[in-house]
């Protein structure tokens, strides 16, 4: 998921990984996501959001008797990240993405650049901090034959974050904080906490100030076996309904966690 949030994360990849996610939004909207990261620091991702059927209305006919139309967003990105040769605690990355939005018979096409840096502190074990600048690019406009539309700014977004992994009462925990400021919008605060109950099971709790339709609190669970994982999250949106996100991921290449544990056991026995 590095391409989604910060391409610098690609510099710390230890195994190839692929993930598929389905997000069942409210009001018939659905979000599909595919992400791939390689140990060479390369990343690919695809986002697709379908907003379902929308009622066609006009000022003179506001009662939805003119049929329906559709709307969708598509984003395809490719990126690269690597650790600095002289200071491997710091990784930098960049991602380029193609954006297309469609509303009925109108469409918008554009390109945007993401830049990021990520630091894994060698002094304080388990602490990491990151910075990302997203959606850098020229203005875009919707295109429709016979119409002239004003150009619009891309939703430039600046975000900083930090995470700390620590042990408490025999459990491995991770706490994270994310601050994001998009163009012409208030700063969004995100807080997350994960607890690994057993090696195969993780429990998660989150908060986002972006969700003003409800408390902003979300919950989730993750299952992991060897190089395979399934994650689920539920996010209430008040009167709009509850969204459900489920993803499946697989890792390959490099040295798996299970193989590493066996190697360590053999070394200890000798």
């Amino acid at each position: 998921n590095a391409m989604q949030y910060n391409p610098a994360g690609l510099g710390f990849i230890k195994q190839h990984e692929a993930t598929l996610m389905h997000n069942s939004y409210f009001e018939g909207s659905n979000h599909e996501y595919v992400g791939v990261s390689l140990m060479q620091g390369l990343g690919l991702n695809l986002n697709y959001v379908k907003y379902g059927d929308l009622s066609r209305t006009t000022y003179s006919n506001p009662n939805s008797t003119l049929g329906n139309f559709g709307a969708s967003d598509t984003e395809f990105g490719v990126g690269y990240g690597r650790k600095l040769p002289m200071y491997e605690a710091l990784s930098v990355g960049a991602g380029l993405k193609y954006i297309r939005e469609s509303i009925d018979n109108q469409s918008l096409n554009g390109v945007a650049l993401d830049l990021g840096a990520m630091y894994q502190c060698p002094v304080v074990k388990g602490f990491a901090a990151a910075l990302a600048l997203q959606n850098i690019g020229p203005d875009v406009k919707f295109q429709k034959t016979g119409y002239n539309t004003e150009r619009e700014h891309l939703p430039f977004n600046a975000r900083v974050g930090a995470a700390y992994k620590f042990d408490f009462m025999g459990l491995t925990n991770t706490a994270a904080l994310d601050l994001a400021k998009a163009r012409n919008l208030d700063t969004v605060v995100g807080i997350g906490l994960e607890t690994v109950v057993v090696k195969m099971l993780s429990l998660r709790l989150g908060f986002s100030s972006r969700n003003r339709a409800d408390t902003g609190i979300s919950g989730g669970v993750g299952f992991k076996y060897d190089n395979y994982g399934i994650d689920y999250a539920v996010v209430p949106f008040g009167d709009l309904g509850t969204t459900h996100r489920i993803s499946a991921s697989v890792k390959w290449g490099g040295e798996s966690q299970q193989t590493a544990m066996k190697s360590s056991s053999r070394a200890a026995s000798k």
Side-chain angles (χ1 to χ4, degrees):
N1 297 313
M3 286 289 297
Q4 183 73 11
Y5 301 102
N6 190 333
L10 295 168
F12 292 113
I13 298 297
K14 296 181 180 179
Q15 288 183 268
H16 305 310
E17 182 173 4
T19 184
L20 304 173
M21 185 198 74
H22 171 71
N23 185 2
S24 179
Y25 267 132
F26 41 78
E27 300 298 324
S29 298
N30 291 285
H31 173 204
E32 316 298 337
Y33 176 82
V34 180
V36 177
S37 60
L38 304 177
M39 290 187 294
Q40 292 82 359
L42 296 174
L44 300 169
N45 76 335
L46 174 66
N47 274 293
Y48 178 74
V49 180
K50 178 68 173 179
Y51 293 101
D53 292 329
L54 305 175
S55 299
R56 189 188 305 277
T57 62
T58 64
Y59 287 111
S60 60
N61 193 338
N63 296 319
S64 305
T65 60
L66 302 177
N68 299 323
F69 66 97
S72 64
D73 293 343
T74 304
E75 175 192 294
F76 174 75
V78 57
Y80 177 73
R82 65 170 297 174
K83 293 183 287 187
L84 297 186
M86 302 300 294
Y87 193 63
E88 293 194 346
L90 179 64
S91 174
V92 295
L96 184 67
K97 53 191 177 184
Y98 165 76
I99 301 169
R100 178 179 175 83
E101 295 185 4
S102 298
I103 301 177
D104 197 13
N105 60 348
Q106 299 189 53
S107 63
L108 175 153
N109 297 276
V111 293
L113 177 69
D114 293 348
L115 300 174
M118 185 175 293
Y119 175 69
Q120 293 187 348
C121 183
V123 179
V124 182
K125 185 179 180 181
F127 177 79
L131 166 69
L133 303 176
Q134 299 175 303
N135 302 321
I136 305 169
D139 294 346
V140 294
K141 69 175 182 179
F142 280 95
Q143 298 176 349
K144 181 180 178 182
T145 304
Y147 287 80
N148 292 320
T149 57
E150 295 183 2
R151 301 189 72 85
E152 299 181 11
H153 298 304
L154 287 174
F156 174 77
N157 188 39
R159 63 194 313 157
V160 294
Y164 181 57
K165 187 175 181 179
F166 60 97
D167 293 332
F168 181 71
M169 297 182 63
L171 300 176
T172 300
N173 309 276
T174 302
L177 172 67
D178 182 67
L179 303 176
K181 178 67 173 70
R183 188 193 303 269
N184 300 326
L185 295 177
D186 295 335
T187 300
V188 174
V189 179
I191 301 172
L193 178 65
E194 177 189 71
T195 297
V196 181
V197 181
V198 293
K199 291 180 180 179
M200 295 178 59
L201 175 64
S202 299
L203 302 179
R204 300 170 183 134
L205 185 67
F207 167 80
S208 174
S209 64
R210 187 189 304 276
N211 182 0
R212 298 184 179 181
D214 205 273
T215 61
I217 296 176
S218 59
V221 60
F223 299 95
K224 182 178 180 181
Y225 176 75
D226 196 14
N227 288 332
Y228 303 93
I230 296 178
D231 297 282
Y232 170 77
V234 57
V235 186
F237 279 89
D239 294 337
L240 293 174
T242 301
T243 69
H244 302 271
R245 306 182 184 186
I246 185 167
S247 66
S249 61
V250 58
K251 296 181 179 181
W252 72 97
E255 185 178 32
S256 69
Q257 183 179 9
Q258 194 173 74
T259 301
M261 293 175 61
K262 291 179 179 179
S263 299
S264 298
S265 300
R266 287 196 297 267
S269 64
K270 292 179 181 180

